[in-house]
Amino acid sequence: MSTSSHPVDPSKAIEHTQLLIDGEFVDALDGKTFETLNPATGAVITQVAEGGAADIDRAVQAARRAYDHGPWPRMKPDERAAAIWRLGDLLLADAEEIGRLETLDQGKPYSQAVGGYVPAAAALFHYMSGFATKLEGSTIPISAPGRYHTYTQREALGVVGLIVPWNFPLNIAAWKLAPALAAGNTVVIKPAEATPLSTLRLGQLCLEAGIPPGVVNVVAGYGSTAGQRLAEHPLVDKVSFTGSTATGRRILEAAKGNLKRVTLELGGKSANIIFADADIEAAIAGSTDGIFNNAGQACAAGSRLYVHDDVYDEVVAGMAEKARQIKVGDGFEPDTEIGPLVSLEHFDRVSGYLDIGRGEGEVVTGGARVGEQGYFIEPTIFAGAAQDSRIVKEEIFGPVVVASRFRDTDEVIAMANDTRYGLSSGVWTRNVSTAHTVASRIQAGNVWVNTYGVFDAAMPFGGVKESGWGREMGHEVMNDYTDVKTVCVNIDG
């Protein structure tokens, strides 16, 4: 395929493929590298340094020195805020290059990366920079005998390990890095082995923004080695992980050694509910985007569709028509709307669920591979599957939605809550009472009403049940990157 029609040259050399430790790009101690592949073609993009346990050790030691002895935690709050703001500015200035890396490595459309995801990441740094000057405590009147001045203050935790997934590499790195830095922590980031390139580039931008060496370290490598060591490391005070629920359990097990703080943003099987009184055209459009965006590789994707019996046929037919019109292709092609799945391994996993789904329900549309090169799958709608079927119960993490009928509010809330997950949900209705009733009764950390998949730096995001602990973004996230110290002073002492 010629690159002449591309808005950017995908074949341009990759600048940063080494580990970033203590302000320097270095090889792994054992010299190992691994291939990172273009999911649109299966071709090798470049070789990346493969960090192991020993590399995590030296990155953690660098972060520990930077926290215990370096300037970052001791900077004036406005100085730290300015550096984080500059990082947001540098992201915007670097949008074409970092967007190119996202498309090459993860597959998402270049137009979306440059026009949407990079600006969103920059906005996150801009928003979170303000918290560096707003970490406030409170004075507390106490009733103990005597006279006391008692107050609290918020402090950084220390060294934080950030384990980032492959579905939104840049943005979820920003979700974690920005509040960690605003609080004055130092960090070691372990990007997903499938998508390390944009995070390594982000590390370079941190240095350019004036964030001191050792404050941000990036170690690419595998979860079973680098990720395991980061989660268990005795000098790491907290680990924040986004990924599967199964891996989240392993993170917890590894973290128990020094009882480090843990934030987990895990899997989802989100219910998206359309009532008969909804704006059906808007519900069809929003629900289609809510499952097929990013090729369905989103933990918050609306993968369980519950539609009132009165409008079920209309909604399913409308979504099927929109699904058939979606342009699936290489992210560098200007008209591509969704790209490939991230890897051959994941492609095989989702393809396995398509086989399962054919035996559990009816294929309304899709259900097949697109082309013979790359890891592309058609936007797929299943219907008629039982509530206890695997395609309804298990997270597929691909462009696959399962449609089911309901007749009343109690029934659909019971169906929606019949899952071990509790990340996100959608409600489509013109009835204000219905909207608030469902929002209050549904077991999910996020509820979108008459929309789906709205994210903003000011909006907390996270789940309940087996979808995780803690929150990303908004002011709530600062509770997960700071500790509270209570000081009690005897005034008469």
Side-chain angles (χ1 to χ4, degrees):
M1 181 168 52
S2 169
T3 61
S4 61
S5 64
H6 294 157
V8 67
D9 182 4
S11 64
K12 178 184 172 185
I14 308 299
E15 188 174 354
H16 300 296
T17 60
Q18 296 173 291
L19 313 178
L20 176 61
I21 298 177
D22 208 10
E24 301 289 339
F25 281 95
V26 296
D27 292 332
L29 284 172
D30 60 9
K32 284 186 177 180
T33 63
F34 65 94
E35 296 176 343
T36 187
L37 306 180
N38 181 345
T41 63
V44 176
I45 303 169
T46 189
Q47 298 281 337
V48 176
E50 180 187 333
D55 299 294
I56 289 291
D57 287 346
R58 58 176 175 158
V60 170
Q61 289 160 6
R64 187 83 258 169
R65 287 192 300 271
Y67 184 77
D68 290 342
H69 307 295
W72 184 251
R74 296 157 191 85
M75 278 185 180
K76 295 292 186 183
D78 62 345
E79 295 173 340
R80 198 161 61 243
I84 299 169
W85 185 279
R86 282 195 299 271
L87 180 54
D89 286 348
L90 287 170
L91 267 174
L92 291 176
D94 197 51
E96 290 188 2
E97 175 59 14
I98 207 161
R100 179 181 79 98
L101 297 178
E102 285 283 273
T103 299
L104 270 178
D105 221 12
Q106 198 275 339
K108 56 173 50 70
Y110 176 77
S111 60
Q112 296 176 17
V114 172
Y117 292 111
V118 175
L124 200 289
F125 286 106
H126 287 155
Y127 174 82
M128 286 295 168
S129 69
F131 283 104
T133 60
K134 299 171 184 65
L135 294 177
E136 300 171 348
S138 59
T139 56
I140 305 171
I142 65 173
S143 300
R147 292 199 307 150
Y148 301 94
H149 173 52
T150 304
Y151 62 93
T152 62
Q153 59 188 43
R154 284 208 167 267
E155 299 180 339
L157 296 173
V159 176
V160 177
L162 308 177
I163 303 178
V164 178
W166 49 255
N167 56 336
F168 298 100
L170 173 66
N171 294 81
I172 296 181
W175 287 8
K176 298 178 186 302
L177 179 59
L181 292 178
N185 298 290
T186 60
V187 306
V188 177
I189 309 176
K190 207 293 284 184
E193 59 268 24
T195 55
L197 298 180
S198 62
T199 309
L200 290 167
R201 181 76 176 187
L202 179 62
Q204 172 62 33
L205 296 180
C206 288
L207 296 175
E208 293 178 19
I211 296 171
V215 174
V216 177
N217 306 273
V218 183
V219 179
Y222 291 91
S224 60
T225 52
Q228 174 75 20
R229 181 56 179 159
L230 186 58
E232 71 186 15
H233 204 290
L235 296 182
V236 172
D237 301 292
K238 175 204 171 66
V239 62
S240 177
F241 168 78
T242 296
S244 72
T245 298
T247 304
R249 289 192 174 91
R250 293 195 289 272
I251 296 290
L252 277 180
E253 182 67 22
K256 72 181 184 181
N258 67 336
L259 298 180
K260 59 174 58 68
R261 304 285 187 89
V262 177
T263 294
L264 302 170
E265 198 268 280
L266 306 176
K269 192 69 177 178
S270 300
N272 184 30
I273 304 167
I274 301 177
F275 286 89
D277 66 348
D279 179 333
I280 299 303
E281 184 177 347
I284 288 171
S287 300
T288 301
D289 185 63
I291 179 59
F292 297 132
N293 179 54
N294 204 42
Q297 299 170 120
C299 48
S303 54
R304 289 186 297 146
L305 180 69
Y306 293 108
V307 187
H308 193 278
D309 194 60
D310 289 349
V311 293
Y312 177 87
D313 291 338
E314 180 183 358
V315 168
V316 171
M319 285 186 64
E321 179 61 25
K322 284 191 175 294
R324 285 188 284 267
Q325 294 172 1
I326 292 173
K327 176 63 168 63
V328 181
D330 188 318
F332 287 110
E333 294 297 337
D335 58 347
T336 291
E337 295 174 278
I338 66 172
L341 300 186
V342 73
S343 66
L344 177 59
E345 178 186 13
H346 190 55
F347 173 84
D348 288 342
R349 180 181 182 275
V350 174
S351 297
Y353 275 107
L354 296 180
D355 293 338
I356 292 167
R358 292 185 192 95
E360 293 183 335
E362 167 201 354
V363 179
V364 178
T365 190
R369 180 175 192 167
V370 177
E372 297 182 0
Q373 176 180 268
Y375 313 132
F376 301 95
I377 285 181
E378 293 177 327
T380 300
I381 299 175
F382 285 111
Q387 182 71 6
D388 61 355
S389 65
R390 288 186 65 185
I391 59 171
V392 170
K393 289 291 188 183
E394 299 175 15
E395 185 176 35
I396 298 172
F397 220 67
V400 182
V401 64
V402 184
S404 303
R405 300 174 184 266
F406 74 91
R407 291 176 177 79
D408 61 59
T409 301
D410 288 340
E411 177 192 21
V412 75
I413 289 174
M415 295 167 75
N417 290 339
D418 182 22
T419 175
R420 63 193 181 102
Y421 298 111
L423 187 56
S424 297
S425 58
V427 182
W428 300 83
T429 177
R430 288 188 172 98
N431 187 304
V432 173
S433 177
T434 299
H436 286 291
T437 296
V438 175
S440 66
R441 292 178 62 189
I442 204 161
Q443 296 166 356
N446 310 274
V447 183
W448 289 295
V449 178
N450 294 329
T451 187
Y452 201 96
V454 174
F455 290 87
D456 188 88
M459 290 173 57
F461 177 78
V464 299
K465 299 197 286 189
E466 292 186 31
S467 287
W469 299 345
R471 292 295 179 266
E472 309 273 16
M473 300 189 293
H475 66 83
E476 292 288 343
V477 73
M478 298 309 298
N479 295 325
D480 290 326
Y481 288 97
T482 58
D483 212 345
V484 176
K485 177 180 286 182
T486 302
V487 180
C488 181
V489 180
N490 183 353
I491 294 176
D492 294 327

